[in-house]
Amino acid sequence: MDLPARFINHSCDANVGIRDNESGAYDFFAIREIEFGEELLWDYEASEYEVSAFETCLCGSSKCRKVLGGFKMSGETIRDLYGEYYAKYLKDS
């Protein structure tokens, strides 16, 4: 995983979404108001078809899904939450 993604933590209630850019990486976009000093958070299931490195989500959000299975498992939820702000390759799945 490349910068800056490797420094942005996961949340089931992310405040940034992603779009593919011309370089084959992701650009991050605020998808709601972000307060000064608030941590930037994105939803790993918005970029991964399957998550296998870990299964249990510990994001602590009141909207936590408790399990990270990837877009394969949560695609409908990801589409509903993030609209156009998830990985392009997942839009065809």
Coordinates of all heavy atoms in Angstrom, one line a residue:
M1 N 0.9 -1.2 0.0 CA 0.0 0.0 0.0 C 0.9 1.2 0.0 O 1.9 1.3 0.7 CB -0.9 0.0 1.2 CG -1.9 1.0 1.2 SD -3.1 1.0 2.7 CE -3.9 -0.6 2.4
D2 N 0.6 2.2 -0.8 CA 1.4 3.4 -1.0 C 0.9 4.5 -0.1 O -0.2 4.5 0.5 CB 1.3 3.9 -2.4 CG 2.0 2.8 -3.3 OD1 3.0 2.2 -2.9 OD2 1.6 2.7 -4.5
L3 N 1.7 5.6 0.0 CA 1.3 6.8 0.7 C 0.1 7.4 0.0 O 0.1 7.3 -1.2 CB 2.5 7.8 0.8 CG 3.7 7.3 1.6 CD1 4.8 8.3 1.3 CD2 3.4 7.2 3.0
P4 N -0.8 8.1 0.6 CA -0.9 8.3 2.0 C -1.7 7.2 2.7 O -2.0 7.2 3.9 CB -1.6 9.7 2.1 CG -2.5 9.7 0.9 CD -1.7 9.0 -0.2
A5 N -2.2 6.3 1.9 CA -3.2 5.3 2.4 C -2.6 4.5 3.6 O -3.4 4.2 4.5 CB -3.5 4.3 1.3
R6 N -1.3 4.3 3.6 CA -0.8 3.5 4.7 C -0.8 4.2 6.0 O -0.6 3.6 7.1 CB 0.6 3.0 4.4 CG 1.6 4.1 4.1 CD 2.9 3.6 3.6 NE 3.5 2.7 4.5 CZ 4.7 2.2 4.4 NH1 5.5 2.6 3.4 NH2 5.3 1.4 5.3
F7 N -1.1 5.5 6.0 CA -1.2 6.3 7.2 C -2.6 6.7 7.6 O -2.8 7.5 8.5 CB -0.3 7.5 7.2 CG 1.2 7.1 7.0 CD1 1.9 7.4 5.9 CD2 1.8 6.5 8.1 CE1 3.2 7.0 5.7 CE2 3.1 6.1 8.0 CZ 3.8 6.4 6.8
I8 N -3.6 6.2 6.9 CA -5.0 6.5 7.2 C -5.7 5.3 7.7 O -5.7 4.2 7.0 CB -5.7 7.1 5.9 CG1 -5.0 8.3 5.4 CG2 -7.2 7.4 6.3 CD1 -5.6 8.9 4.1
N9 N -6.2 5.3 8.9 CA -6.8 4.2 9.5 C -8.2 3.9 9.0 O -8.8 4.7 8.4 CB -6.9 4.4 11.1 CG -5.5 4.2 11.7 OD1 -4.7 3.4 11.3 ND2 -5.2 5.1 12.7
H10 N -8.7 2.7 9.3 CA -10.0 2.2 8.9 C -11.0 2.7 9.9 O -10.8 2.8 11.1 CB -10.0 0.7 8.8 CG -11.4 0.2 8.8 ND1 -12.2 0.2 7.6 CD2 -12.2 -0.3 9.7 CE1 -13.4 -0.3 7.9 NE2 -13.4 -0.6 9.2
S11 N -12.2 3.0 9.4 CA -13.4 3.1 10.2 C -14.6 2.7 9.3 O -14.7 2.9 8.1 CB -13.6 4.6 10.6 OG -14.9 4.7 11.3
C12 N -15.6 2.1 10.0 CA -16.8 1.7 9.3 C -17.7 2.9 9.1 O -18.7 2.9 8.4 CB -17.6 0.7 10.1 SG -16.8 -0.9 10.2
D13 N -17.3 4.1 9.6 CA -17.9 5.4 9.5 C -16.9 6.4 9.0 O -16.6 7.4 9.7 CB -18.6 5.8 10.8 CG -19.4 7.0 10.7 OD1 -19.9 7.3 9.5 OD2 -19.6 7.7 11.7
A14 N -16.3 6.1 7.8 CA -15.2 6.9 7.3 C -15.6 8.4 7.0 O -16.8 8.6 6.7 CB -14.7 6.3 6.0
N15 N -14.6 9.2 7.1 CA -14.9 10.6 6.7 C -14.2 11.0 5.4 O -14.4 12.1 4.9 CB -14.4 11.6 7.8 CG -13.0 11.4 8.2 OD1 -12.2 10.8 7.5 ND2 -12.7 11.9 9.4
V16 N -13.5 10.1 4.8 CA -12.9 10.2 3.4 C -13.3 9.0 2.6 O -13.4 7.9 3.1 CB -11.4 10.5 3.4 CG1 -11.0 11.8 4.2 CG2 -10.6 9.3 4.0
G17 N -13.5 9.3 1.3 CA -13.7 8.3 0.3 C -12.6 8.3 -0.7 O -11.8 9.2 -0.7
I18 N -12.6 7.4 -1.6 CA -11.5 7.3 -2.6 C -12.1 7.3 -4.0 O -13.2 6.9 -4.3 CB -10.7 6.0 -2.4 CG1 -11.5 4.8 -2.5 CG2 -9.9 6.1 -1.1 CD1 -10.7 3.5 -2.5
R19 N -11.2 7.7 -4.9 CA -11.4 7.6 -6.4 C -10.1 7.2 -7.0 O -9.0 7.7 -6.5 CB -11.8 9.0 -6.9 CG -13.3 9.3 -6.8 CD -13.6 10.5 -7.7 NE -14.8 11.1 -7.3 CZ -15.1 12.4 -7.6 NH1 -14.3 13.2 -8.2 NH2 -16.3 12.9 -7.2
D20 N -10.1 6.4 -8.0 CA -8.9 6.1 -8.7 C -8.4 7.3 -9.4 O -9.2 8.1 -10.0 CB -9.2 5.0 -9.8 CG -9.7 3.7 -9.1 OD1 -10.8 3.7 -8.5 OD2 -9.0 2.7 -9.3
N21 N -7.1 7.4 -9.5 CA -6.5 8.5 -10.2 C -5.8 8.0 -11.5 O -5.7 6.8 -11.7 CB -5.6 9.4 -9.3 CG -4.4 8.7 -8.8 OD1 -3.8 7.8 -9.5 ND2 -3.9 9.1 -7.7
E22 N -5.2 8.9 -12.3 CA -4.5 8.5 -13.5 C -3.3 7.7 -13.3 O -2.8 7.0 -14.2 CB -4.2 9.8 -14.3 CG -5.5 10.5 -14.8 CD -5.1 11.9 -15.4 OE1 -4.0 12.2 -15.4 OE2 -6.1 12.5 -15.8
S23 N -2.7 7.7 -12.1 CA -1.5 7.0 -11.8 C -1.7 5.6 -11.3 O -0.8 4.8 -11.0 CB -0.6 7.7 -10.8 OG -0.3 9.0 -11.3
G24 N -3.0 5.2 -11.2 CA -3.4 3.9 -10.7 C -3.4 3.8 -9.2 O -3.5 2.7 -8.6
A25 N -3.4 4.9 -8.5 CA -3.5 5.0 -7.1 C -4.9 5.6 -6.7 O -5.7 5.8 -7.6 CB -2.4 5.8 -6.5
Y26 N -5.0 5.9 -5.5 CA -6.3 6.5 -5.0 C -6.1 8.0 -4.6 O -5.1 8.3 -3.9 CB -6.9 5.8 -3.8 CG -7.2 4.3 -4.1 CD1 -6.7 3.3 -3.4 CD2 -8.1 4.0 -5.2 CE1 -7.1 2.0 -3.6 CE2 -8.4 2.7 -5.5 CZ -7.9 1.7 -4.7 OH -8.2 0.4 -5.0
D27 N -7.0 8.8 -4.9 CA -7.1 10.1 -4.3 C -8.2 10.1 -3.3 O -9.2 9.4 -3.4 CB -7.5 11.2 -5.4 CG -6.4 11.4 -6.4 OD1 -5.2 11.3 -6.1 OD2 -6.8 11.7 -7.6
F28 N -8.0 10.8 -2.2 CA -8.9 10.8 -1.1 C -9.7 12.1 -1.1 O -9.2 13.2 -1.3 CB -8.1 10.7 0.3 CG -7.5 9.4 0.4 CD1 -6.2 9.1 -0.1 CD2 -8.1 8.4 1.1 CE1 -5.7 7.8 0.0 CE2 -7.5 7.1 1.3 CZ -6.3 6.9 0.7
F29 N -11.0 12.0 -0.8 CA -11.9 13.1 -0.8 C -12.7 13.1 0.5 O -13.2 12.0 0.9 CB -12.9 13.0 -2.0 CG -12.2 13.1 -3.3 CD1 -11.7 12.1 -3.9 CD2 -12.2 14.4 -3.9 CE1 -11.0 12.2 -5.2 CE2 -11.6 14.5 -5.2 CZ -11.0 13.4 -5.8
A30 N -12.9 14.3 1.1 CA -13.8 14.4 2.2 C -15.2 14.1 1.8 O -15.7 14.6 0.8 CB -13.7 15.8 2.8
I31 N -15.9 13.2 2.5 CA -17.2 12.9 2.2 C -18.2 13.4 3.2 O -19.4 13.2 3.1 CB -17.4 11.4 2.0 CG1 -17.0 10.6 3.2 CG2 -16.7 10.9 0.7 CD1 -17.2 9.1 3.1
R32 N -17.7 14.1 4.2 CA -18.5 14.8 5.2 C -17.6 15.9 5.8 O -16.4 15.9 5.6 CB -19.1 13.9 6.2 CG -18.1 13.2 7.1 CD -18.8 12.5 8.3 NE -17.9 11.7 9.1 CZ -17.1 12.1 10.0 NH1 -17.0 13.4 10.3 NH2 -16.3 11.3 10.7
E33 N -18.1 16.8 6.6 CA -17.4 17.8 7.3 C -16.3 17.2 8.2 O -16.7 16.2 8.9 CB -18.3 18.7 8.1 CG -17.6 19.9 8.7 CD -17.3 21.0 7.7 OE1 -18.0 21.1 6.7 OE2 -16.4 21.7 8.0
I34 N -15.1 17.6 8.1 CA -14.0 17.1 9.0 C -13.5 18.2 9.8 O -13.1 19.3 9.3 CB -12.9 16.5 8.1 CG1 -13.4 15.3 7.2 CG2 -11.7 16.0 9.0 CD1 -12.4 14.8 6.3
E35 N -13.7 18.0 11.1 CA -13.3 19.1 12.1 C -11.7 19.2 12.1 O -11.0 18.2 11.9 CB -13.8 18.7 13.5 CG -15.3 18.7 13.5 CD -16.0 20.0 13.3 OE1 -15.5 21.0 13.7 OE2 -17.1 20.0 12.6
F36 N -11.3 20.4 12.5 CA -9.8 20.6 12.7 C -9.3 19.6 13.7 O -9.9 19.5 14.8 CB -9.6 22.0 13.2 CG -8.1 22.3 13.4 CD1 -7.3 22.6 12.3 CD2 -7.6 22.3 14.7 CE1 -5.9 22.8 12.6 CE2 -6.3 22.5 14.9 CZ -5.4 22.8 13.9
G37 N -8.3 18.9 13.4 CA -7.7 17.9 14.4 C -8.3 16.6 14.3 O -7.8 15.6 15.0
E38 N -9.4 16.4 13.6 CA -10.1 15.1 13.5 C -9.2 14.2 12.6 O -8.7 14.5 11.6 CB -11.4 15.3 12.9 CG -12.2 14.0 12.8 CD -13.6 14.2 12.2 OE1 -14.0 15.4 12.0 OE2 -14.3 13.2 12.0
E39 N -9.1 12.9 13.0 CA -8.3 11.9 12.3 C -9.0 11.6 11.0 O -10.3 11.5 10.9 CB -8.2 10.6 13.1 CG -7.4 9.5 12.4 CD -7.3 8.3 13.2 OE1 -8.0 8.1 14.3 OE2 -6.5 7.4 12.8
L40 N -8.3 11.5 9.9 CA -8.8 11.1 8.6 C -9.0 9.6 8.7 O -8.1 8.8 9.1 CB -7.9 11.5 7.4 CG -7.6 12.9 7.3 CD1 -6.7 13.2 6.1 CD2 -8.9 13.7 7.0
L41 N -10.2 9.1 8.2 CA -10.5 7.7 8.3 C -11.1 7.2 7.0 O -12.0 7.9 6.5 CB -11.5 7.4 9.5 CG -11.0 7.8 10.8 CD1 -12.1 7.8 11.8 CD2 -9.9 6.8 11.3
W42 N -10.7 6.1 6.5 CA -11.4 5.5 5.3 C -11.8 4.1 5.6 O -11.3 3.4 6.5 CB -10.5 5.7 4.1 CG -9.3 4.9 4.0 CD1 -8.2 4.9 4.8 CD2 -8.9 4.0 2.9 NE1 -7.2 4.1 4.4 CE2 -7.6 3.5 3.2 CE3 -9.5 3.6 1.8 CZ2 -7.0 2.6 2.4 CZ3 -8.9 2.6 1.0 CH2 -7.6 2.2 1.3
D43 N -12.7 3.6 4.7 CA -13.2 2.3 4.9 C -12.4 1.3 4.0 O -12.5 1.4 2.8 CB -14.7 2.3 4.5 CG -15.4 1.0 5.0 OD1 -14.8 -0.1 5.0 OD2 -16.6 1.2 5.3
Y44 N -11.7 0.4 4.6 CA -10.9 -0.5 3.8 C -11.7 -1.4 2.9 O -11.2 -1.8 1.8 CB -10.1 -1.5 4.7 CG -9.0 -0.8 5.6 CD1 -8.4 -1.5 6.6 CD2 -8.6 0.5 5.3 CE1 -7.5 -0.9 7.4 CE2 -7.6 1.1 6.1 CZ -7.1 0.4 7.2 OH -6.1 0.9 7.9
E45 N -13.0 -1.6 3.2 CA -13.8 -2.4 2.3 C -14.2 -1.6 1.0 O -14.7 -2.2 0.1 CB -15.1 -2.9 3.1 CG -14.7 -3.9 4.1 CD -16.0 -4.5 4.8 OE1 -16.9 -3.8 5.1 OE2 -16.0 -5.7 4.9
A46 N -13.9 -0.4 1.0 CA -14.1 0.4 -0.2 C -13.0 0.3 -1.2 O -13.1 0.8 -2.3 CB -14.3 1.9 0.2
S47 N -12.0 -0.5 -0.9 CA -10.9 -0.7 -1.8 C -10.5 -2.2 -1.9 O -9.7 -2.5 -2.8 CB -9.7 0.2 -1.5 OG -9.1 -0.3 -0.2
E48 N -11.0 -3.0 -1.1 CA -10.5 -4.4 -1.1 C -11.7 -5.3 -1.3 O -12.7 -5.3 -0.6 CB -9.9 -4.8 0.3 CG -8.7 -3.9 0.6 CD -7.5 -4.1 -0.4 OE1 -7.4 -5.3 -0.9 OE2 -6.8 -3.2 -0.6
Y49 N -11.6 -6.2 -2.3 CA -12.7 -7.1 -2.6 C -12.8 -8.1 -1.5 O -13.9 -8.5 -1.1 CB -12.4 -7.8 -4.0 CG -13.6 -8.8 -4.3 CD1 -14.8 -8.3 -4.7 CD2 -13.4 -10.1 -4.3 CE1 -15.9 -9.1 -5.0 CE2 -14.5 -11.0 -4.6 CZ -15.7 -10.5 -5.0 OH -16.7 -11.3 -5.3
E50 N -11.7 -8.6 -1.0 CA -11.7 -9.5 0.2 C -10.6 -9.0 1.1 O -9.5 -8.6 0.7 CB -11.3 -10.9 -0.2 CG -12.4 -11.6 -1.0 CD -12.1 -13.1 -1.3 OE1 -11.4 -13.3 -2.3 OE2 -12.5 -13.9 -0.5
V51 N -10.9 -9.0 2.4 CA -9.9 -8.6 3.4 C -9.6 -9.9 4.2 O -10.5 -10.6 4.7 CB -10.5 -7.6 4.4 CG1 -9.6 -7.3 5.6 CG2 -10.9 -6.3 3.7
S52 N -8.3 -10.3 4.1 CA -7.9 -11.5 4.7 C -6.9 -11.3 5.8 O -6.6 -12.3 6.6 CB -7.4 -12.5 3.7 OG -6.3 -11.9 3.0
A53 N -6.3 -10.2 5.9 CA -5.2 -9.9 6.9 C -5.8 -9.9 8.4 O -5.1 -10.3 9.3 CB -4.5 -8.6 6.7
F54 N -7.0 -9.5 8.5 CA -7.7 -9.5 9.8 C -9.2 -9.5 9.5 O -9.7 -9.1 8.5 CB -7.3 -8.3 10.6 CG -7.4 -7.0 9.9 CD1 -8.5 -6.3 9.8 CD2 -6.2 -6.5 9.3 CE1 -8.6 -5.1 9.1 CE2 -6.3 -5.3 8.6 CZ -7.4 -4.6 8.5
E55 N -10.0 -10.1 10.4 CA -11.4 -10.2 10.2 C -12.2 -9.3 11.2 O -13.2 -8.8 10.8 CB -11.8 -11.7 10.4 CG -11.3 -12.6 9.3 CD -11.7 -14.0 9.5 OE1 -12.4 -14.3 10.5 OE2 -11.4 -14.8 8.7
T56 N -11.7 -9.2 12.4 CA -12.5 -8.5 13.4 C -12.2 -7.0 13.3 O -11.0 -6.6 13.3 CB -12.1 -9.0 14.8 OG1 -12.3 -10.4 14.9 CG2 -12.9 -8.2 15.9
C57 N -13.2 -6.2 13.2 CA -13.1 -4.7 13.2 C -13.1 -4.2 14.6 O -13.9 -4.5 15.4 CB -14.2 -4.1 12.4 SG -14.0 -2.3 12.2
L58 N -12.1 -3.3 14.8 CA -12.0 -2.7 16.1 C -12.0 -1.1 16.0 O -11.5 -0.4 16.8 CB -10.7 -3.1 16.8 CG -10.4 -4.6 17.0 CD1 -9.0 -4.9 17.4 CD2 -11.4 -5.2 17.9
C59 N -12.8 -0.6 15.0 CA -12.7 0.8 14.7 C -13.4 1.6 15.9 O -13.1 2.8 16.0 CB -13.4 1.1 13.4 SG -15.2 1.0 13.3
G60 N -14.3 1.0 16.6 CA -14.9 1.7 17.7 C -16.1 2.6 17.3 O -16.7 3.3 18.2
S61 N -16.4 2.7 16.0 CA -17.5 3.6 15.6 C -18.8 3.0 16.1 O -19.0 1.8 16.2 CB -17.5 3.6 14.1 OG -18.7 4.1 13.6
S62 N -19.8 3.8 16.3 CA -21.1 3.4 16.7 C -21.8 2.6 15.5 O -22.7 1.9 15.7 CB -22.0 4.5 17.1 OG -22.2 5.4 16.0
K63 N -21.2 2.8 14.3 CA -21.7 2.2 13.1 C -20.8 1.0 12.7 O -20.9 0.5 11.6 CB -21.8 3.2 11.9 CG -22.8 4.3 12.2 CD -22.8 5.3 11.1 CE -23.7 6.4 11.4 NZ -23.8 7.4 10.3
C64 N -20.0 0.5 13.6 CA -19.1 -0.6 13.3 C -19.8 -1.8 12.8 O -20.8 -2.3 13.5 CB -18.2 -0.9 14.5 SG -17.0 -2.2 14.2
R65 N -19.3 -2.4 11.8 CA -19.9 -3.7 11.2 C -19.3 -4.9 11.9 O -19.7 -6.0 11.6 CB -19.6 -3.7 9.7 CG -20.4 -2.6 9.0 CD -20.3 -2.8 7.5 NE -18.9 -2.5 6.9 CZ -18.4 -1.4 6.6 NH1 -19.1 -0.3 6.8 NH2 -17.2 -1.3 6.1
K66 N -18.3 -4.8 12.8 CA -17.7 -5.8 13.6 C -16.8 -6.8 12.8 O -16.0 -7.4 13.4 CB -18.8 -6.6 14.4 CG -19.7 -5.8 15.2 CD -19.0 -5.0 16.3 CE -20.1 -4.3 17.1 NZ -19.6 -3.0 17.7
V67 N -17.1 -7.0 11.6 CA -16.3 -7.9 10.7 C -15.9 -7.2 9.5 O -16.7 -6.5 8.8 CB -17.2 -9.1 10.4 CG1 -16.5 -10.1 9.4 CG2 -17.6 -9.9 11.6
L68 N -14.6 -7.4 9.0 CA -14.2 -6.9 7.8 C -14.0 -8.1 6.8 O -13.0 -8.9 7.0 CB -12.8 -6.2 8.0 CG -12.9 -4.8 8.7 CD1 -11.5 -4.3 8.9 CD2 -13.7 -3.8 7.8
G69 N -14.9 -8.2 5.9 CA -14.8 -9.3 4.9 C -14.5 -8.7 3.5 O -14.3 -9.5 2.6
G70 N -14.5 -7.4 3.3 CA -14.2 -6.8 2.1 C -15.5 -6.5 1.3 O -16.6 -6.8 1.8
F71 N -15.3 -5.9 0.1 CA -16.5 -5.6 -0.7 C -17.3 -6.8 -1.1 O -18.5 -6.7 -1.2 CB -15.9 -4.9 -2.0 CG -17.0 -4.2 -2.8 CD1 -17.4 -2.9 -2.5 CD2 -17.6 -4.8 -3.9 CE1 -18.3 -2.2 -3.2 CE2 -18.5 -4.1 -4.6 CZ -18.9 -2.9 -4.3
K72 N -16.7 -7.9 -1.2 CA -17.4 -9.2 -1.5 C -18.5 -9.4 -0.5 O -19.6 -9.8 -0.9 CB -16.4 -10.3 -1.5 CG -17.0 -11.7 -1.7 CD -15.9 -12.8 -1.7 CE -16.5 -14.1 -1.9 NZ -15.4 -15.2 -1.9
M73 N -18.3 -9.1 0.7 CA -19.2 -9.3 1.8 C -20.1 -8.1 2.0 O -21.3 -8.2 2.4 CB -18.5 -9.6 3.1 CG -19.3 -9.9 4.3 SD -18.2 -10.4 5.6 CE -19.1 -9.9 7.0
S74 N -19.6 -6.9 1.9 CA -20.3 -5.7 2.2 C -20.6 -4.7 1.1 O -20.8 -3.5 1.3 CB -19.5 -4.9 3.3 OG -19.3 -5.8 4.5
G75 N -20.5 -5.2 -0.1 CA -20.7 -4.3 -1.3 C -21.9 -3.4 -1.3 O -21.7 -2.2 -1.6
E76 N -23.0 -3.9 -1.0 CA -24.2 -3.1 -1.0 C -24.1 -1.9 0.1 O -24.5 -0.8 -0.2 CB -25.4 -3.9 -0.7 CG -26.7 -3.2 -0.8 CD -28.0 -4.1 -0.7 OE1 -27.9 -5.3 -1.1 OE2 -29.0 -3.6 -0.1
T77 N -23.6 -2.3 1.2 CA -23.4 -1.3 2.3 C -22.4 -0.2 1.8 O -22.6 1.0 2.0 CB -22.8 -1.9 3.6 OG1 -23.8 -2.9 4.0 CG2 -22.6 -0.9 4.6
I78 N -21.3 -0.6 1.2 CA -20.3 0.3 0.7 C -20.9 1.2 -0.4 O -20.7 2.5 -0.3 CB -19.0 -0.4 0.1 CG1 -18.4 -1.3 1.2 CG2 -18.0 0.5 -0.5 CD1 -17.9 -0.5 2.5
R79 N -21.6 0.7 -1.3 CA -22.3 1.5 -2.3 C -23.2 2.6 -1.7 O -23.2 3.7 -2.1 CB -23.1 0.6 -3.3 CG -22.3 -0.1 -4.3 CD -23.2 -0.9 -5.3 NE -22.4 -1.9 -6.0 CZ -22.4 -3.2 -5.6 NH1 -23.2 -3.6 -4.7 NH2 -21.7 -4.0 -6.3
D80 N -24.0 2.1 -0.7 CA -24.9 3.0 0.0 C -24.2 4.1 0.8 O -24.6 5.3 0.7 CB -25.8 2.2 0.9 CG -26.8 1.4 0.2 OD1 -27.0 1.5 -1.0 OD2 -27.4 0.5 0.9
L81 N -23.1 3.8 1.4 CA -22.4 4.7 2.3 C -21.6 5.7 1.5 O -21.5 6.9 1.8 CB -21.5 4.0 3.3 CG -22.1 3.2 4.4 CD1 -21.1 2.4 5.2 CD2 -22.8 4.2 5.4
Y82 N -20.9 5.3 0.4 CA -19.9 6.1 -0.2 C -20.2 6.5 -1.6 O -19.4 7.2 -2.2 CB -18.5 5.4 -0.1 CG -18.2 5.0 1.3 CD1 -18.1 3.7 1.7 CD2 -18.1 6.0 2.3 CE1 -17.8 3.3 3.0 CE2 -17.8 5.6 3.6 CZ -17.7 4.3 3.9 OH -17.4 4.0 5.3
G83 N -21.3 6.1 -2.2 CA -21.7 6.6 -3.5 C -20.6 6.3 -4.5 O -20.3 5.1 -4.7
E84 N -20.1 7.3 -5.1 CA -19.0 7.2 -6.1 C -17.6 7.0 -5.5 O -16.7 6.8 -6.3 CB -19.0 8.4 -7.1 CG -18.7 9.7 -6.4 CD -18.8 10.9 -7.3 OE1 -17.8 11.1 -8.0 OE2 -19.8 11.6 -7.2
Y85 N -17.5 7.1 -4.2 CA -16.2 7.2 -3.6 C -15.7 5.8 -3.1 O -15.5 5.6 -1.9 CB -16.2 8.2 -2.4 CG -16.4 9.6 -2.9 CD1 -17.6 10.2 -2.9 CD2 -15.4 10.3 -3.5 CE1 -17.8 11.5 -3.3 CE2 -15.6 11.6 -4.0 CZ -16.8 12.2 -3.9 OH -17.0 13.4 -4.4
Y86 N -15.6 4.9 -4.0 CA -14.9 3.6 -3.7 C -14.2 3.1 -5.0 O -14.4 3.7 -6.1 CB -15.9 2.6 -3.2 CG -17.0 2.1 -4.1 CD1 -16.9 0.9 -4.8 CD2 -18.2 2.8 -4.2 CE1 -17.9 0.5 -5.7 CE2 -19.2 2.4 -5.1 CZ -19.0 1.2 -5.8 OH -20.0 0.8 -6.6
A87 N -13.3 2.1 -4.9 CA -12.4 1.7 -6.0 C -13.2 1.4 -7.2 O -14.2 0.6 -7.2 CB -11.6 0.5 -5.5
K88 N -12.7 1.8 -8.4 CA -13.4 1.6 -9.7 C -13.5 0.2 -10.0 O -14.6 -0.3 -10.5 CB -12.6 2.3 -10.7 CG -13.2 2.3 -12.1 CD -12.4 3.1 -13.1 CE -13.0 3.0 -14.5 NZ -12.2 3.7 -15.5
Y89 N -12.5 -0.7 -9.7 CA -12.6 -2.1 -10.1 C -13.8 -2.8 -9.3 O -14.3 -3.8 -9.8 CB -11.3 -2.8 -9.9 CG -11.0 -3.3 -8.5 CD1 -11.2 -4.7 -8.2 CD2 -10.5 -2.5 -7.5 CE1 -11.0 -5.2 -7.0 CE2 -10.2 -3.0 -6.3 CZ -10.5 -4.4 -6.0 OH -10.2 -4.9 -4.8
L90 N -14.1 -2.3 -8.2 CA -15.2 -2.9 -7.4 C -16.6 -2.5 -8.0 O -17.6 -3.2 -7.7 CB -15.2 -2.4 -6.0 CG -13.9 -2.9 -5.2 CD1 -13.9 -2.2 -3.8 CD2 -13.8 -4.4 -5.1
K91 N -16.7 -1.5 -8.8 CA -17.9 -1.1 -9.3 C -18.5 -2.1 -10.4 O -19.6 -2.1 -10.7 CB -17.8 0.3 -9.9 CG -17.6 1.4 -8.8 CD -17.4 2.8 -9.3 CE -17.1 3.7 -8.2 NZ -16.8 5.0 -8.5
D92 N -17.6 -2.9 -10.9 CA -18.0 -3.9 -11.9 C -18.3 -5.2 -11.2 O -18.6 -6.2 -11.9 CB -16.9 -4.1 -12.9 CG -16.6 -2.8 -13.7 OD1 -17.6 -2.0 -13.9 OD2 -15.4 -2.6 -14.1
S93 N -18.1 -5.3 -9.9 CA -18.3 -6.6 -9.3 C -19.7 -6.7 -8.7 O -20.5 -5.8 -8.6 CB -17.3 -6.9 -8.2 OG -17.4 -5.9 -7.2

